[in-house]
């Protein structure tokens, strides 16, 4: 059940590589469906999610959109898709989110700015090279900011990927062949351990979303881990009621068989300070 996570740099030919790769290996391609999922869960227009991702959203949209929810719903969908397998996931931070899973291949497709500008000019049917370059740099900056904010990494760092391919020098067909070879290598064979790890990450993501969606727990920020259906929750909550409610919400998530509630109560002095801030 191959899973390939790829980058989505504008004009890099990553889309062409992903399409041919999916056809060659019999995989699904998922990208825009994630925007639809996130928009539906947040009850906002899909176009808003696209603008936020591409750095085109206005100040009011950025300030009024719950970015934590965007990240949680995105992670939930990516983990679920990866858990089902046989898929190419392009963009959406998939290369970072899925990096810990040994059998998932993480690939960056890149290209020189000059070639990317030429590609965008053809795509937009314009001769304005300055405009095309500005669009690409704006898109790159949006991706770099999001990767740093969500994962604390430098976008483009080669150590984040198993394979970096430059389409200035390598054809789309050659990229597909190289990725296909890597997918078949024993280093990326799916094992019971790697499968369990991915399933646990997917379950933990569902629990985090459930906590975010429930009125009584949506404000808490805690760590959630899952192993073989057992959920472990760590962090600080306001009081016993919030602690109990968090456990109840987690226990109701499909796939959860047990909850290890290690949540601690906020100290009285911190609780008093918190109440004064509201």
């Amino acid at each position: 059940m191959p899973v390939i996570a790829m980058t989505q740099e504008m004009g890099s030919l990553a889309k062409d590589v992903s399409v041919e790769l999916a056809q060659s290996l019999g995989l699904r391609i998922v990208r825009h469906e994630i925007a639809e999922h996130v928009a539906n869960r947040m009850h906002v227009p899909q176009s808003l999610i696209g603008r936020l991702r591409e750095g085109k959203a206005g100040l009011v949209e950025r300030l009024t959109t719950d970015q934590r929810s965007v990240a949680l719903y995105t992670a939930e969908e990516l983990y679920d898709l990866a858990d089902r397998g046989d898929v190419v996931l392009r963009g959406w931070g998939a290369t970072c989110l899925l990096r810990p899973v040994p059998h998932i291949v993480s690939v960056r497709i890149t290209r020189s700015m000059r070639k990317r500008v030429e590609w965008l000019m053809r795509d937009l049917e314009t001769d304005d090279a300055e405009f095309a370059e500005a669009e690409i740099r704006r898109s790159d900056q949006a991706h770099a900011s999001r990767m740093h904010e969500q994962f604390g990494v430098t976008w483009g760092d080669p150590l984040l990927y198993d394979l970096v391919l430059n389409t200035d020098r390598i054809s789309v067909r050659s990229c597909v062949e190289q990725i296909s070879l890597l997918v078949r290598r024993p280093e990326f064979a799916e094992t019971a351990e790697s499968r369990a790890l991915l399933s646990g990450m997917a379950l933990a993501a569902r629990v985090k979303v459930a906590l975010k969606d429930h009125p009584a727990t949506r404000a808490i920020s805690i760590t959630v881990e899952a192993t073989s259906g057992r959920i472990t929750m760590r962090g600080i909550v306001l009081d016993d009621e919030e602690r109990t409610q968090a456990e109840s919400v987690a226990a109701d998530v499909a796939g959860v068989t047990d909850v290890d509630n290690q949540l601690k109560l906020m100290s009285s002095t911190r609780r008093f300070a918190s109440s004064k801030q509201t």
Side-chain angles (χ1 to χ4, degrees):
M1 299 173 62
V3 178
I4 302 163
M6 293 178 57
T7 54
Q8 59 167 18
E9 294 174 43
M10 184 183 292
S12 66
L13 301 186
K15 180 179 179 181
D16 302 71
V17 173
S18 64
V19 169
E20 191 166 330
L21 180 65
Q23 292 173 344
S24 175
L25 299 181
L27 308 177
R28 297 171 295 136
I29 300 177
V30 175
R31 182 174 176 236
H32 296 296
E33 295 89 336
I34 297 174
E36 181 179 0
H37 169 83
V38 174
N40 288 341
R41 293 299 299 268
M42 294 185 65
H43 306 290
V44 299
Q46 186 174 331
S47 57
L48 170 60
I49 302 301
R51 289 194 298 276
L52 288 167
R53 290 189 52 74
E54 294 299 325
K56 295 181 178 180
L59 178 61
V60 173
E61 288 179 322
R62 295 197 304 273
L63 292 176
T64 57
T65 302
D66 185 349
Q67 299 288 348
R68 179 168 172 254
S69 289
V70 173
L72 287 174
Y73 291 131
T74 298
E76 176 195 35
E77 181 69 355
L78 279 170
Y79 286 133
D80 181 63
L81 291 165
D83 197 31
R84 285 185 263 166
D86 294 326
V87 66
V88 178
L89 298 166
R90 186 164 62 91
W92 296 93
T95 53
C96 276
L97 277 171
L98 299 171
R99 181 70 174 156
V101 183
H103 69 261
I104 294 180
V105 176
S106 180
V107 181
R108 181 186 179 192
I109 306 296
T110 190
R111 205 179 192 193
S112 67
M113 180 59 72
R114 179 178 63 84
K115 289 288 188 180
R116 296 171 70 193
V117 168
E118 291 174 358
W119 176 90
L120 187 57
M121 289 171 65
R122 288 194 302 272
D123 188 63
L124 298 178
E125 298 181 350
T126 179
D127 58 0
D128 190 339
E130 185 176 343
F131 168 76
E133 182 173 343
E135 281 293 291
I136 291 172
R137 292 195 183 281
R138 177 197 48 72
S139 177
D140 285 354
Q141 181 57 45
H143 292 317
S145 296
R146 187 168 57 254
M147 295 289 275
H148 180 71
E149 290 170 5
Q150 286 187 232
F151 309 112
V153 300
T154 300
W155 186 58
D157 182 350
L159 293 179
L160 298 175
Y161 313 100
D162 302 307
L163 187 64
V164 178
L165 297 168
N166 177 5
T167 53
D168 266 11
R169 297 174 58 84
I170 304 174
S171 69
V172 169
R173 179 68 253 171
S174 293
C175 288
V176 170
E177 290 176 357
Q178 291 300 313
I179 298 169
S180 298
L181 284 172
L182 201 60
V183 167
R184 296 186 179 99
R185 293 293 303 166
E187 295 95 327
F188 295 97
E190 183 179 302
T191 64
E193 291 77 13
S194 69
R195 177 70 185 170
L197 174 61
L198 178 56
S199 295
M201 293 166 73
L203 180 57
R206 292 198 298 273
V207 170
K208 290 177 183 177
V209 166
L211 291 169
K212 178 64 176 175
D213 285 345
H214 197 284
T217 56
R218 64 175 45 144
I220 69 173
S221 181
I222 61 174
T223 299
V224 179
E225 297 176 355
T227 304
S228 301
R230 180 182 175 85
I231 294 294
T232 301
M233 301 188 299
R234 299 184 180 91
I236 298 175
V237 292
L238 187 62
D239 50 34
D240 272 318
E241 183 179 354
E242 198 168 66
R243 184 178 188 275
T244 301
Q245 189 65 64
E247 180 174 340
S248 176
V249 171
D252 284 342
V253 174
V256 173
T257 57
D258 186 31
V259 178
D260 180 9
N261 190 343
Q262 298 186 23
L263 297 175
K264 307 297 184 183
L265 302 186
M266 186 180 294
S267 66
S268 58
T269 53
R270 290 181 62 186
R271 188 158 58 243
F272 177 70
S274 177
S275 65
K276 287 180 67 177
Q277 293 171 7
T278 59

